[in-house]
Amino acid sequence: MQGQTDTTERSTLPGETRARLRAVLSDVWGYSTFRPLQEQAMAAVLERRDSLVVMPTGGGKSLCFQAPALLREGTAIVISPLISLMRDQVAQLWQAGVRAGSLHSGQPTDERRAVQEGLAVGTLKLLYLSPERIALEDPRTLLGRARLSFVAVDEAHCISMWGHDFRPEYRQIARFRELFPEADMHAYTATATPEVSRDIRRQLALQRPVELRGSFDRPNLFYSAKPRQSGIRRLFEVVRRHAGQSGIVYCITRKETDKVAGALRKEGFKAVPYHAGMEPDERRANQEAFVADSEDIVVATVAFGMGINKPDVRYVVHMGMPKSIENYQQEIGRAGRDGLPSECLLLYSLADLMMWKRIMTDVPPEQSAIAWKKLDRMYEWCSQTGCRRTRLLRHFGEEYPRQNCGMCDQCTGGHTPVPDSHTVAQKILSCAVRLGESHNAVYTTNILSGAKTAEIRGAEHHKLSTWGLLSGRPKECILDWIEQLRGQGLLAAGEGGALSVTEKGWDVLRNRATGVVMDRLRTAAAPPTSSLESLSPTDRETFERLRQLRKQIAAREKVPPYVIFGDVTLRDTARLRPRDLHEFRRIKGVGRRKLEAYGAAFLEALWRDPPPGPDALREIPRTERERRTSERRADKKRLALELFRQGELTAEIAKQIGRAVSTAEQYIVEQLREEGPLDIAPWVPEDLAAAIEEALGATRDGRLRSVFDALEGGATYLQIRLVKACMKSRGE
Ligand code: ADP
Ligand code: ZN
């Protein structure tokens, strides 16, 4: 994030407190640095000053209250609007080794009781509550004898009618102020408008709050928007670019949702639909499969996304235009929350604008005026030719400090001006003038391309000097150029879309300014790097292997895979190849508890062959070490036998399990014995077995080497071991 503002004085945390905060960050979450404004936000909580923190999605708001909660006495209350979000955060905290719980409606009683016990004895550091819960029950009864440290209000915009997601129950939170006046209160939101901030401050009665406001730029998102021609092909391009990774595709209608999901499946992609017309069970199953990484793509109406916390969504594609920039911002907010490069493609058409306007006819007039204006703004953003990031930020009142963002279709040169760009612009503008500034874009396109529809003939417009001026150019291009001129403010659309030429437009007609139209249909604009491309092929393979392991562990632990480790952690693991737990611990996202729980398994997956160098287990305390060593040994034994059964040479097996050949052989024999009565017949012919037995009996010391020598290489060491084990199991 750049250009974040901090409207109050910087924190002056005592050095010792800062050090403790950093220690918690590293110990529990495995992070070594703060994201912008996080430290100040945490300082406010530690200093018990009310605060209001505005940060974009993915900015790291949850940590702002979670980390200080661990350093304060008592239990922190977190109000969160969605049960799925609460569950997710509680699961994440547990995985990190933090005692947290939630109380919400529809919760099993034993779970509830466990939470209340933790609360009573004071071991619970964070308690998540739904606003409904406090509306239903007196918080004093709910909290019993618990000691409250502070109240954090997540998604605080829900308290405001100015926000996009007003929830009346949120108003109940104010009761905490009255009931627990000594507890400080902290509000977090990604909604940046001044009205919402004001409302939050007032409704929660925040006392001289520390106000922190982050930049809303999301530097890891690549933005592009294209007219919808050959939309499916463009969608496939995006999906292929992020093969095997998660993505969301938004459609305006249910019918289209099914159609697009079908098309993707037919092409071999793992895609499922999600919309309000489906059976609830099926919908839930599809969502869960997406979260669990069993399906890659969800094709959805906007109904999808609330409560989805998946941080590794690598792309969001809109097959149609959203109804406002606010909606768009929210929907693309689901891409790339982990900060890795992600892509947002919007496919639009004038038809979408018309359709929304048709859908909105029953909206009361005073609201519809605003709604239409929002639609027009959205359409302008799509069709204009300037930097998309600059325009998006400007819409939310923020100036982007650079000329070229390097991360949008316009800035990466994905589009080039058509060769005679200025003349083309003039032709279009003069056509609008000739048509008396009373016809819409489609009609104007028809005139320019030289069509002779009944309407045109009837109006005798085929006799205009501008008729057919752009014949030979594809109609969809002409239409897009008209939209570009609208987006640049050279044309304006009035009643019924009638195009008129603006002052700026006349400047171009009079050659006082240069008109530019871009060729946007043929050129593909791809992001400079996708998250996979930045890994070498070997690292990518390793990354996939680690992802598989993560998925298995997640299924066992019954949590989403990203709760185990995020993609950032797996990528760094694949790239940096930590050789032991000590090094693994240094990877971002590996806290102490996760290291202990999963470190060995990930190292194992990373090093099919053993890591070179120091003992991998030196960091683990003794008892733990012993347990792990024996677990590892058991795994290796199993693997050794399996490979042996597959006909692998012992030297090769030894390499694969990272042990000496003699150990590998010993493992094979031990494993065979563990699996049941030892039958060596498949590996040692009967007469050879007899010869080995004899040699074993004859050599005085019984050492393998002596037997081997005695048989003059007629038997392998493994065969000798097998026979020896066989005799032993017979009691000889
Ligand atoms: P928000 O609630 O603002 O949308 P989250 O709290 O969900 O964002 O955080 C987004 C992602 O960033 C999470 O995967 C989180 O673990 C990660 N994150 C947060 N703080 C840090 C940090 N200091 N260093 C590295 N990653 C962080
Ligand atoms: Zn740009």
Side-chain angles (χ1 to χ4, degrees), residues 559-616:
V559 294
Y562 59 81
V563 168
I564 304 298
F565 283 125
D567 275 11
V568 178
T569 305
L570 296 197
R571 286 166 48 99
D572 285 355
T573 307
R575 228 161 30 82
L576 303 170
R577 298 186 177 264
R579 292 180 306 174
D580 52 31
L581 290 170
H582 189 69
E583 285 183 8
F584 189 49
R585 175 72 177 79
R586 289 205 204 123
I587 300 236
K588 194 192 273 184
V590 183
R592 198 165 281 280
R593 136 91 180 122
K594 287 188 181 177
L595 178 81
E596 283 175 11
Y598 312 123
F602 277 89
L603 283 179
E604 191 79 48
L606 187 62
W607 298 100
R608 288 253 175 91
D609 296 326
D615 178 8

Side-chain angles (χ1 to χ4, degrees), residues 379-613:
Y379 192 66
E380 274 164 35
W381 184 85
C382 295
S383 53
Q384 54 88 24
T385 50
C387 168
R388 300 209 182 273
R389 173 164 274 102
T390 302
R391 303 282 175 117
L392 197 63
L393 287 172
R394 190 174 296 158
H395 181 85
F396 292 103
E398 190 178 328
E399 269 308 308
Y400 185 65
R402 284 191 283 148
Q403 283 286 334
N404 185 311
C405 79
M407 276 290 276
C408 80
D409 53 352
Q410 319 273 24
C411 287
T412 49
H415 303 145
T416 46
V418 283
D420 42 358
S421 178
H422 179 61
T423 322
V424 170
Q426 285 184 322
K427 285 177 178 172
I428 294 169
L429 293 170
S430 72
C431 188
V433 176
R434 296 272 171 245
L435 282 170
E437 304 194 317
S438 57
H439 286 80
N440 66 20
V442 175
Y443 192 84
T444 311
T445 300
N446 281 333
I447 298 291
L448 284 162
S449 66
K452 272 190 188 164
T453 64
E455 199 186 352
I456 289 174
R457 255 193 259 259
E460 299 214 324
H461 281 156
H462 58 293
K463 295 184 180 156
L464 289 176
S465 59
T466 50
W467 182 85
L469 265 185
L470 294 174
S471 67
R473 314 271 189 143
K475 270 193 190 178
E476 68 228 32
C477 283
I478 301 176
L479 189 60
D480 181 44
W481 294 333
I482 293 177
E483 298 316 326
Q484 292 181 28
L485 296 179
R486 263 194 66 191
Q488 294 168 32
L490 304 186
L491 282 172
E495 186 84 17
L499 296 174
S500 58
V501 177
T502 63
E503 271 310 306
K504 264 171 88 182
W506 278 106
D507 285 349
V508 171
L509 272 176
R510 295 188 181 117
N511 282 323
R512 282 193 209 130
T514 312
V516 181
V517 285
M518 305 291 221
D519 181 358
R520 298 204 287 192
L521 292 178
R522 261 166 291 277
T523 49
T529 49
S530 79
S531 72
L532 283 179
E533 279 162 10
S534 54
L535 289 176
S536 76
T538 338
D539 293 350
R540 201 155 145 179
E541 207 179 280
T542 312
F543 174 65
E544 285 307 325
R545 197 158 74 225
L546 300 178
R547 270 182 85 194
Q548 278 309 314
L549 173 63
R550 172 177 70 176
K551 199 170 152 185
Q552 284 164 16
I553 295 177
R556 192 188 70 206
E557 302 270 308
K558 298 193 174 58
V559 294
Y562 59 81
V563 168
I564 304 298
F565 283 125
D567 275 11
V568 178
T569 305
L570 296 197
R571 286 166 48 99
D572 285 355
T573 307
R575 228 161 30 82
L576 303 170
R577 298 186 177 264
R579 292 180 306 174
D580 52 31
L581 290 170
H582 189 69
E583 285 183 8
F584 189 49
R585 175 72 177 79
R586 289 205 204 123
I587 300 236
K588 194 192 273 184
V590 183
R592 198 165 281 280
R593 136 91 180 122
K594 287 188 181 177
L595 178 81
E596 283 175 11
Y598 312 123
F602 277 89
L603 283 179
E604 191 79 48
L606 187 62
W607 298 100
R608 288 253 175 91
D609 296 326

Side-chain angles (χ1 to χ4, degrees), residues 31 33-35 38 56-63 337 588:
Y31 299 147
T33 52
F34 295 102
R35 291 260 181 89
Q38 272 184 334
T57 318
K61 286 184 285 297
S62 10
L63 229 61
R337 296 174 65 160
K588 194 192 273 184

Side-chain angles (χ1 to χ4, degrees), residues 272-289:
V272 285
Y274 183 102
H275 58 71
M278 290 164 56
E279 289 297 322
D281 281 348
E282 193 188 353
R283 214 166 52 206
R284 195 172 323 118
N286 284 355
Q287 170 167 333
E288 277 167 13

